Amino acid sequence: MRRVTLIALALMMVGAAEAKPKEQPVTMAGDAPVAVQIQKVEAALNSESYSEISLEDKSRVQQALGRIKLKMEGHTLSSELSPQDRTAVFNDQELVNTVLGQAREDSRMVCRRERSTGSNMAQNVCMTVAQRRKAEANGRALLNDHQRFNSFAPPGG
């Protein structure tokens, strides 16, 4: 019994050592060089981790980055700016962080074992959170349209 416990413990430790560390989300902070942060954000916008970002949100992030670049001309850190400019940069950084945080969550892949109608065999169905939300909304809309159509149908027809 003790040998089995030791083997199980050793396998868990090997699995933990081989596990990939989670990729950290891209965020902008006030204590790092802003130009480097902007490059990371621009690279992230085109990565798979943020694939579900809408064009509107992508545009908002790019506009915020443009405003930050203008305020940061000639400066490396946001602490070198005047209080008014520092506040404006901070607000734009928060906008970027909020939009990227939501886009990252929406881009997360979720897999479930589901059975097709008329089948007992389960299959893996993988979708991003945003795709799953959209499919659910489409299903609700279809059901509402069907119920609305049936409420206008003549009785017995």
Side-chain angles (χ1 to χ4, degrees):
M1 181 67 178
R2 206 165 69 180
R3 184 183 301 172
V4 172
T5 305
L6 289 174
I7 291 172
L9 183 60
L11 287 174
M12 287 184 351
M13 291 176 75
V14 168
E18 291 178 2
K20 286 191 230 176
K22 275 192 170 182
E23 183 181 321
Q24 293 297 316
V26 174
T27 58
M28 295 190 77
D31 56 349
V34 176
V36 173
Q37 294 180 53
I38 290 173
Q39 288 174 346
K40 287 181 181 178
V41 169
E42 289 173 339
L45 285 176
N46 299 317
S47 73
E48 188 67 27
S49 297
Y50 298 91
S51 63
E52 292 294 335
I53 191 168
S54 69
L55 289 176
E56 178 185 338
D57 284 342
K58 196 174 204 176
S59 174
R60 287 175 51 208
V61 168
Q62 289 170 337
Q63 290 172 359
L65 293 177
R67 290 190 300 268
I68 291 171
K69 287 178 186 177
L70 285 174
K71 298 281 185 192
M72 292 303 299
E73 275 187 16
H75 303 285
T76 305
L77 300 173
S78 59
S79 59
E80 300 169 355
L81 298 173
S82 69
Q84 294 86 4
D85 288 346
R86 192 176 323 139
T87 301
V89 167
F90 176 79
N91 289 337
D92 283 331
Q93 287 176 330
E94 285 300 304
L95 179 125
V96 169
N97 291 341
T98 302
V99 170
L100 289 182
Q102 183 61 45
R104 181 178 171 85
E105 181 61 28
D106 287 348
S107 299
R108 189 172 45 92
M109 188 66 72
V110 178
C111 296
R112 290 188 184 163
R113 300 272 304 156
E114 296 179 0
R115 291 186 186 151
S116 302
T117 304
S119 173
N120 286 330
M121 292 181 57
Q123 295 178 324
N124 277 341
V125 177
C126 297
M127 289 188 251
T128 63
V129 171
Q131 289 170 332
R132 198 168 287 281
R133 187 181 313 120
K134 187 174 181 179
E136 185 179 318
N138 288 343
R140 272 199 208 108
L142 187 64
L143 183 62
N144 287 340
D145 289 346
H146 179 70
Q147 288 174 343
R148 195 170 330 156
F149 176 75
N150 285 340
S151 69
F152 292 118

